[in-house]
C-alpha cells in the first residue's frame, strides 16, 4: 500500500500535535515528509527525531542554524520564503495547514496553484482570500478538505448529497468562555478567564476568538467559501455541549447532523484519510446517554456583535473580510499581551471595518494591501490606547 505523504504547517501547535498523533497511529497509511514551525525549537527537535522528515522550515533563522547542526541530513529553510519552498516540494500528497493566522495564506495559494490537496485548519486563509483559493482549486483540481470541526461535519454529511438539494447550513457555537455573561460584564474580564474554553482545548488565539465570537464569524465566512452557500442560508445556533458539530438542512426539510466527541483528532484524521474513515486509535469516549440532553438557543447578535459584523463583511466581500480578520489578529494579540481590554478588541475591529472603503472588484493584490494597511493602523491604535492609559494613570497618581 502506498502511504500518503504529508506536509504539516504548524506542527508544534494544538492542531499540529494532534495531527502528529494521527500520523503516528497509522504508520501504514501516513508519512510525515516535511513540517514548519514557529518558535518552539524543542518540540521541533522531538518531531524530527520521531518522524525523520526530509524538509523542515523554522520561522526564525537562529532555529534553522541550531537544527542544521543537529540534523545535517534534513533540508532546512527559514521564514515565509521557506513556507513557499515547502509548499513547492516534490513528492507529497497533502498539505495540512495548521498555522495560526494569515501567514498561512501564501503557502496555501502556492500549493493550490500546483494542484496539491490541502487539509485546512487555518481558517484565516479562506477568510482573506476565499474566492481566489476556491477558484484556483477548481482550476487545478486541488481538493480543499476542511479540518475546522464544524466544516468537517458539514463536509461529512454532504458526501453523496447534491449541492442543489441543500437549503441551508447551521453552524453550532459553544458561546465561548463568556457565554453566560452580559456584554456589560465583559468590561474587566481577564486573559485567564477568556482562555478557559468550556469544551475544547485549543491554541490561545482561537480560544480567545471563541470568547469574542470572532471565531464563529470567521467560520461563517469559511463555510460560505468552502460550500458555496449564500450568507443568508448560513445560520449559527448556540449549542452549549458542542456535541452536534454542525447541520445541513435539505430542500425537503430533512436535517442531517454530524455528532461526536470534542476531539480534533477526528476531523484531522478524516481530512487526511478522505474519502475513507479509518479506525480512530485514540478514540475519546462518546456516550449520548451520559451526556443526557442537548441544548440549542438562538444567537443574540446584540450580545455578540462580532458575529453580526462578520455577516456584514462577508456580504460586502472584497477586502472587508480581510480587514475584519487583520484587525482581529492585531487586537487579539494585543489583548494577549495585556495592552488592551477585552472589549477593546471588538471596538478596534469595528473601527477598522467602518473606516475601510473600497471600490468593487478587488484583486487579491488589493485585498492583501488592505490587510497590511489594517495591521499598521490597528497596531497604531493599540499604541495610542496604551499611551492614553499611561497618561490617565499618571493623572490619577498626581
Ligand atoms: N486548535 C484547534 O482545536 C483548532 C484550530 N483551528 C485553526 O487552526 C489553526 C491553528 O490553531 P492552533 O493549533 O490552535 O494554534 P496554535 O497557536 O496552537 O499553533 C499555531 C502553530 O503555528 C505555528 N506558527 C506560528 N507562526 C508561524 C510562522 N510564522 N511560521 C511557521 N509556523 C508558525 C506555531 O509554531 P510555534 O508554536 O513553534 O511558535 C504553531 O505550530 C488556526 O487557524 C485555528 O483557527 C481550527 C479548528 C480547531
Ligand atoms: C474545535 C473547533 O473547530 C473550534 O473552532 C471550535 O468550534 C471553537 O468553539 P466555539 O467557537 O464554538 O466556541
Ligand atoms: Mn471550529
Amino acid at each position: 500500500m502506498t502511504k500518503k505523504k504529508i506536509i504539516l504547517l504548524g506542527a508544534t501547535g494544538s492542531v499540529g500535535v494532534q495531527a502528529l498523533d494521527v500520523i503516528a497511529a497509522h504508520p501504514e497509511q501516513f508519512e510525515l515528509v516535511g513540517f514548519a514551525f514557529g518558535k518552539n525549537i524543542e518540540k521541533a527537535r522531538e518531531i524530527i527525531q520521531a518522524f525523520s522528515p526530509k524538509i523542515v522550515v523554522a520561522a526564525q533563522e537562529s532555529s534553522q542554524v541550531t537544527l542544521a547542526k543537529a540534523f545535517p541530513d534534513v533540508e532546512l529553510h527559514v521564514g515565509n520564503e521557506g513556507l513557499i519552498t515547502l509548499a513547492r516540494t516534490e513528492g507529497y500528497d497533502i498539505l495540512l495547514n495548521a498555522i495560526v493566522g494569515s501567514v498561512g495564506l501564501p503557502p496555501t495559494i502556492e500549493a493550490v496553484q500546483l494542484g496539491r490537496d490541502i487539509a485546512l485548519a487555518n481558517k484565516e486563509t479562506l477568510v482573506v482570500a476565499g474566492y481566489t483559493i476556491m477558484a484556483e482549486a477548481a482550476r487545478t483540481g486541488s481538493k480543499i478538505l476542511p479540518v475546522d470541526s464544524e466544516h468537517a461535519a458539514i463536509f461529512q454529511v454532504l458526501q453523496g448529497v447534491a449541492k442543489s438539494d441543500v437549503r441551508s447550513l447551521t453552524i453550532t457555537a459553544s458561546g465561548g468562555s463568556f457565554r453566560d455573561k452580559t456584554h456589560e460584564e465583559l468590561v474587566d474580564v481577564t486573559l485567564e478567564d477568556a482562555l478557559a474554553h468550556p469544551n475544547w482545548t485549543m491554541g490561545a488565539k482561537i480560544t480567545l476568538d471563541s470568547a469574542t465570537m470572532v471565531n464563529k464569524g470567521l467560520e461563517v465566512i469559511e463555510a460560505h467559501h468552502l460550500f458555496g452557500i449564500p450568507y443568508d442560508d448560513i445560520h449559527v445556533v448556540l449549542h452549549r455541549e458542542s456535541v452536534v458539530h454542525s447541520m445541513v438542512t435539505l430542500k425537503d426539510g430533512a436535517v442531517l447532523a454530524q455528532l461526536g466527541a470534542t476531539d480534533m483528532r477526528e476531523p484531522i484524521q478524516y481530512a487526511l484519510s478522505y474519502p475513507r474513515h479509518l479506525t480512530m486509535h485514540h478514540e475519546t469516549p462518546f456516550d449520548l446517554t451520559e451526556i443526557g440532553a442537548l441544548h440549542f438557543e438562538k444567537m443574540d447578535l446584540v450580545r455578540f456583535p462580532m458575529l453580526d459584523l462578520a455577516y456584514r463583511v462577508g456580504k460586502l466581500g472584497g477586502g472587508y473580510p480581510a480587514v475584519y480578520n487583520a484587525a482581529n489578529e492585531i487586537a487579539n494579540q494585543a489583548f494577549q499581551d495585556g495592552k488592551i481590554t477585552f472589549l477593546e478588541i471588538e471596538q478596534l475591529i469595528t473601527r477598522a471595518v467602518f473606516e475601510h472603503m473600497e471600490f468593487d472588484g478587488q484583486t487579491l493584490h488589493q485585498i492583501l494591501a488592505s490587510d497590511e494597511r489594517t495591521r499598521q493602523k490597528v497596531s497604531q491604535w493599540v499604541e495610542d490606547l496604551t499611551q492614553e492609559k499611561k497618561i490617565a494613570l499618571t493623572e490619577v497618581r498626581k
Side-chain angles (χ1 to χ4, degrees):
M1 181 192 296
T2 52
K3 297 181 190 185
K4 271 193 189 167
K5 293 187 168 52
I6 296 164
I7 296 266
L8 173 54
L9 309 186
T12 48
S14 166
V15 171
V17 166
Q18 295 177 84
L20 294 172
D21 272 0
V22 167
I23 294 169
H26 294 280
E28 72 298 347
Q29 299 280 347
F30 306 129
E31 179 186 353
L32 184 77
V33 295
F35 75 88
F37 72 102
K39 296 181 184 151
N40 192 344
I41 187 165
E42 281 320 310
K43 185 74 200 162
R45 214 187 266 277
E46 283 172 28
I47 300 170
I48 297 174
Q49 274 156 356
F51 292 88
S52 306
K54 296 181 181 64
I55 172 165
V56 173
V57 176
Q60 296 172 332
E61 211 168 318
S62 55
S63 308
Q64 182 198 23
V65 172
T66 309
L67 291 176
K69 283 188 196 139
F71 302 101
D73 296 338
V74 177
E75 185 184 330
L76 281 151
H77 296 271
V78 70
N80 295 349
E81 277 304 309
L83 294 175
I84 298 288
T85 306
L86 199 52
R88 283 188 188 148
T89 308
E90 295 290 326
Y92 73 90
D93 300 300
I94 186 157
L95 181 142
L96 169 48
N97 185 347
I99 283 190
V100 63
S102 59
V103 64
L105 176 59
T108 306
I109 292 192
E110 191 67 31
V112 169
Q113 286 177 336
L114 293 169
R116 302 307 187 81
D117 290 344
I118 311 287
L120 192 65
N122 176 254
K123 62 192 86 183
E124 295 90 346
T125 284
L126 269 187
V127 169
V128 174
Y131 291 111
T132 304
I133 290 177
M134 297 315 288
E136 283 298 284
R139 182 179 70 79
T140 63
S142 153
K143 292 191 200 69
I144 310 290
L145 302 156
V147 171
D148 205 347
S149 63
E150 297 77 4
H151 308 74
I154 292 167
F155 184 68
Q156 285 178 59
V157 301
L158 285 180
Q159 296 304 307
V161 173
K163 191 179 155 201
S164 55
D165 292 348
V166 173
R167 183 193 294 171
S168 64
L169 309 179
T170 302
I171 297 175
T172 51
S174 75
S177 29
F178 301 135
R179 61 193 182 187
D180 293 318
K181 286 192 184 296
T182 63
H183 200 257
E184 291 68 33
E185 285 170 343
L186 298 175
V187 135
D188 54 3
V189 292
T190 65
L191 177 61
E192 197 187 349
D193 298 333
L195 293 186
H197 194 280
N199 303 330
W200 295 93
T201 306
M202 309 182 287
K205 193 260 178 184
I206 185 175
T207 307
L208 181 52
D209 283 350
S210 164
T212 57
M213 207 47 70
V214 167
N215 185 46
K216 222 39 65 178
L218 299 177
E219 289 184 353
V220 166
I221 300 169
E222 183 186 9
H224 169 76
H225 291 299
L226 281 172
F227 306 112
I229 301 291
Y231 283 101
D232 285 338
D233 297 328
I234 303 176
H235 311 299
V236 177
V237 294
L238 186 65
H239 169 46
R240 291 171 174 271
E241 294 82 10
S242 300
V243 162
V244 174
H245 294 320
S246 276
M247 299 172 255
V248 177
T249 304
L250 301 183
K251 293 238 165 96
D252 58 7
V255 181
L256 310 184
Q258 192 264 347
L259 287 71
T262 47
D263 185 337
M264 279 303 292
R265 286 174 296 193
E266 291 183 15
I268 292 167
Q269 180 167 301
Y270 183 61
L272 296 181
S273 67
Y274 174 81
R276 294 189 55 204
H277 285 267
L278 301 180
T279 302
M280 174 55 72
H281 291 310
H282 303 94
E283 201 164 334
T284 305
F286 180 70
D287 182 346
L288 281 174
T289 64
E290 296 255 318
I291 296 162
L294 300 178
H295 300 86
F296 301 92
E297 297 158 60
K298 285 197 190 316
M299 288 301 297
D300 177 348
L301 294 183
V302 176
R303 164 64 184 81
F304 296 114
M306 289 303 96
L307 182 56
D308 186 41
L309 190 61
Y311 275 101
R312 291 171 193 263
V313 297
K315 287 178 186 175
L316 283 165
Y320 279 95
V323 167
Y324 174 91
N325 177 69
N328 177 55
E329 286 192 24
I330 299 296
N332 177 307
Q333 189 60 54
F335 179 69
Q336 289 188 54
D337 295 342
K339 292 182 176 170
I340 62 171
T341 65
F342 183 80
L343 281 177
E344 281 167 347
I345 301 175
E346 61 184 46
Q347 287 161 11
L348 292 176
I349 300 171
T350 307
R351 183 174 168 195
V353 168
F354 277 73
E355 280 196 8
H356 180 64
M357 287 199 3
E358 68 184 29
F359 300 105
D360 286 346
Q362 295 280 292
T363 62
L364 181 60
H365 184 71
Q366 288 166 320
I367 290 173
L368 295 180
S370 300
D371 175 303
E372 186 47 42
R373 260 198 312 278
T374 304
R375 282 169 202 274
Q376 286 171 11
K377 244 187 348 187
V378 179
S379 300
Q380 185 57 53
W381 295 341
V382 168
E383 289 317 310
D384 295 348
L385 280 169
T386 313
Q387 284 308 321
E388 281 167 26
K389 281 172 199 165
K390 270 191 197 151
I391 293 166
L393 203 63
T394 319
E395 293 297 316
V396 169
R397 283 190 182 138
K398 268 186 196 163

